[in-house]
């Protein structure tokens, strides 16, 4: 990665999940809604830390220091490989309890690459998908190309 690509879509994920994705430990992101987006996207570590009850246990299990994890910036790139209805066995690869994958969707991730430097997003996210270096609404053509509206 040399510098930010202004037309690259970003996915906002809270810590410590973003860090676990970069480490290749978390390869499934569980969400309430499916996505049609596939391919490379920026991984944005949200400003908010996860409030899930399992978060502290995950930090302990993977020796993650909550205060040292970057937030509010692009931390890397990932590939969105597929999306399907979640299965109970997805919980392990999502680093969450089985109860959190029930009646959800599993976004399969791969190819995580950490940025050599952290990039602050020029434009903050207003949901999971956003363009970190392009003003919201600048390009409806790009959003529709990625499955957005």
């Amino acid at each position: 990665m040399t510098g930010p690509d202004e037309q690259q879509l970003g996915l906002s994920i809270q810590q410590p999940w973003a860090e676990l994705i970069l480490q290749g430990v978390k390869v499934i992101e569980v969400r309430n809604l499916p996505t049609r987006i596939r391919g490379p996207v920026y991984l944005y570590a949200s400003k908010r830390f996860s409030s899930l009850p399992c978060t502290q246990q995950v930090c302990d299990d993977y020796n993650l220091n909550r205060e040292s994890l970057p937030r509010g910036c692009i931390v890397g790139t990932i590939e969105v490989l597929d999306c399907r209805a979640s299965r109970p066995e997805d919980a392990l690869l999502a680093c969450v309890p089985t109860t959190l994958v029930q009646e959800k969707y599993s976004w399969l991730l791969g190819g995580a690459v950490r940025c050599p430097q952290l990039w602050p997003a020029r434009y903050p996210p207003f949901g999971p998908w956003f363009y970190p270096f392009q003003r919201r609404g600048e390009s409806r053509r790009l959003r529709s190309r990625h499955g957005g509206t």
Side-chain angles (χ1 to χ4, degrees):
M1 242 183 284
T2 57
D5 176 354
E6 291 192 8
Q7 296 184 10
Q8 183 78 25
L9 191 62
L11 174 60
S12 179
I13 296 184
Q14 295 175 337
Q15 290 287 21
W17 317 118
E19 178 60 29
L20 293 177
I21 290 168
L22 286 174
Q23 290 182 16
V25 173
K26 179 178 169 66
V27 294
I28 291 180
E29 174 67 4
V30 178
R31 296 284 176 140
N32 290 326
L33 297 172
T35 183
R36 293 181 295 156
I37 295 171
R38 302 290 185 274
V41 297
Y42 284 128
L43 177 61
Y44 174 83
S46 173
K47 289 182 179 181
R48 288 185 28 204
F49 203 83
S50 176
S51 61
L52 290 175
C54 62
T55 301
Q56 187 56 53
Q57 184 62 52
V58 167
C59 286
D60 293 344
D61 290 349
Y62 293 96
N63 199 28
L64 300 176
N65 177 345
R66 175 186 179 119
E67 302 308 315
S68 69
L69 295 174
R71 288 185 275 168
C73 57
I74 303 294
V75 294
T77 60
I78 56 172
E79 294 272 340
V80 180
L81 304 172
D82 201 3
C83 176
R84 58 172 168 70
S86 293
R87 305 171 187 153
E89 59 269 21
D90 290 347
L92 182 63
L93 296 175
C95 303
V96 296
T98 305
T99 55
L100 293 180
V101 302
Q102 294 172 351
E103 298 180 25
K104 306 280 185 187
Y105 292 90
S106 291
W107 299 2
L108 284 64
L109 310 174
V113 176
R114 190 179 300 272
C115 284
Q117 69 184 56
L118 301 176
W119 292 325
R122 190 174 304 141
Y123 303 101
F126 292 99
W129 299 109
F130 74 114
Y131 287 94
F133 304 105
Q134 187 178 101
R135 185 176 308 283
R136 186 175 177 190
E138 265 182 27
S139 177
R140 291 197 164 272
R141 180 185 56 77
L142 288 173
R143 282 201 311 271
S144 65
R145 184 180 74 193
H146 290 291
T149 55

